[in-house]
Amino acid sequence: DSGVTQTPKHLITATGQRVTLRCSPRSGDLSVYWYQQSLDQGLQFLIQYYNGEERAKGNILERFSAQQFPDLHSELNLSSLELGDSALYFCASSVVGESGELFFGEGSRLTVL
Amino acid sequence: SQQGEEDPQALSIQEGENATMNCSYKTSINNLQWYRQNSGRGLVHLILIRSNEREKHSGRLRVTLDTSKKSSSLLITASRAADTASYFCATPNYGQNFVFGPGTRLSVLP
């Protein structure tokens, strides 16, 4: 158990809909990262937050947004969903930035029909 | 951007054999990490090697880093069926996040 909790584990929705994925980092970890993993794109970095502030942005679509709350949990909002958004979405946390290891949650599997 | 690229893409071996996976990256790094992912599960950190280290061991894992060639290798000795998984290298990207390669899918046959 990594200590990172992601909900929901599975989500099936229709195109055009909006979903919210939630992540609770390990106790004490200030950094939260979101990654998308699909069969054809591998593991793609979306966005990082550090202590409530956006720290880095990757290949995140404009239809997607995220935030980190004062209690350090994070939410990833996906809107106007398309078939191609079907993927595993992982949250990871770390104490600091690139000098430490990432602890991954078990992911949220999103299926868009 | 910096990116690790694992090689081979897939590897199939018998139990008891050694498995070697390689990772190449593009620019200077201060550390490189290896992760493991069982099918459909979250990634698990295996080992971190810093740029001033050439070799590191952890149990049956041995990682090497050659900064002159911008490459790293992960050796799993005496493999077991339970080692079947995908293995990824990760490199820091401008000190702000990690970039993962496409991974090596390892199958260990009993």
Side-chain angles (χ1 to χ4, degrees), chain A residues 35 37 48 98 100 102 106, chain B residues 31 35 37 41 95-96 98:
Chain A
Y35 283 86
Q37 186 178 40
Q48 178 201 357
E98 80 286 358
L102 295 181
E106 288 298 312
Chain B
N31 74 71
Y35 288 80
Q37 183 184 31
R41 305 292 300 276
Q96 293 181 317
F98 296 90

Side-chain angles (χ1 to χ4, degrees), chain A:
Chain A
D1 182 4
S2 67
V4 177
T5 303
Q6 288 188 248
T7 57
K9 286 186 169 48
H10 301 276
L11 193 55
I12 301 175
T13 189
T15 54
Q17 295 298 305
R18 172 190 169 96
V19 299
T20 297
L21 310 180
R22 182 189 167 101
C23 170
S24 294
R26 285 190 329 152
S27 177
D29 284 359
L30 301 178
S31 274
V32 169
Y33 305 74
W34 285 98
Y35 283 86
Q36 178 193 57
Q37 186 178 40
S38 56
L39 284 174
D40 57 346
Q41 293 291 323
L43 202 65
Q44 297 290 315
F45 168 70
L46 296 178
I47 198 164
Q48 178 201 357
Y49 283 84
Y50 178 81
N51 203 20
E53 300 289 326
E54 182 183 304
R55 183 81 174 257
K57 213 171 210 182
N59 301 320
I60 187 166
L61 300 172
E62 284 192 10
R63 301 183 286 107
F64 296 0
S65 65
Q67 55 182 325
Q68 185 179 29
F69 295 86
D71 66 352
L72 300 179
H73 91 271
S74 178
E75 293 181 357
L76 178 66
N77 301 296
L78 315 174
S79 62
S80 303
L81 286 168
E82 302 175 0
L83 296 177
D85 298 327
S86 296
L88 259 175
Y89 290 85
F90 286 107
C91 168
S93 73
S94 70
V95 175
V96 293
E98 80 286 358
S99 59
E101 66 183 89
L102 295 181
F103 295 87
F104 280 81
E106 288 298 312
S108 292
R109 182 174 293 280
L110 173 66
T111 302
V112 182
L113 300 176

Side-chain angles (χ1 to χ4, degrees), chain B residues 15-66:
Chain B
E15 234 177 355
E17 293 180 340
N18 296 341
T20 299
M21 289 155 268
N22 303 297
C23 170
S24 60
Y25 56 93
K26 296 178 181 176
T27 60
S28 296
I29 57 173
N30 57 15
N31 74 71
L32 183 144
Q33 302 184 32
W34 284 90
Y35 288 80
R36 163 193 165 130
Q37 183 184 31
N38 286 4
S39 181
R41 305 292 300 276
L43 280 74
V44 175
H45 181 265
L46 294 177
I47 198 164
L48 181 153
I49 186 165
R50 302 193 186 284
S51 58
N52 61 353
E53 298 175 308
R54 290 296 169 258
E55 187 171 310
K56 201 164 182 178
H57 295 254
S58 178
R60 294 184 295 112
L61 305 181
R62 172 179 165 248
V63 169
T64 62
L65 180 64
D66 188 334

Side-chain angles (χ1 to χ4, degrees), chain B residues 94-107:
Chain B
Y94 302 112
Q96 293 181 317
N97 63 77
F98 296 90
V99 179
F100 287 80
T104 292
R105 292 189 310 279
L106 174 65
S107 297

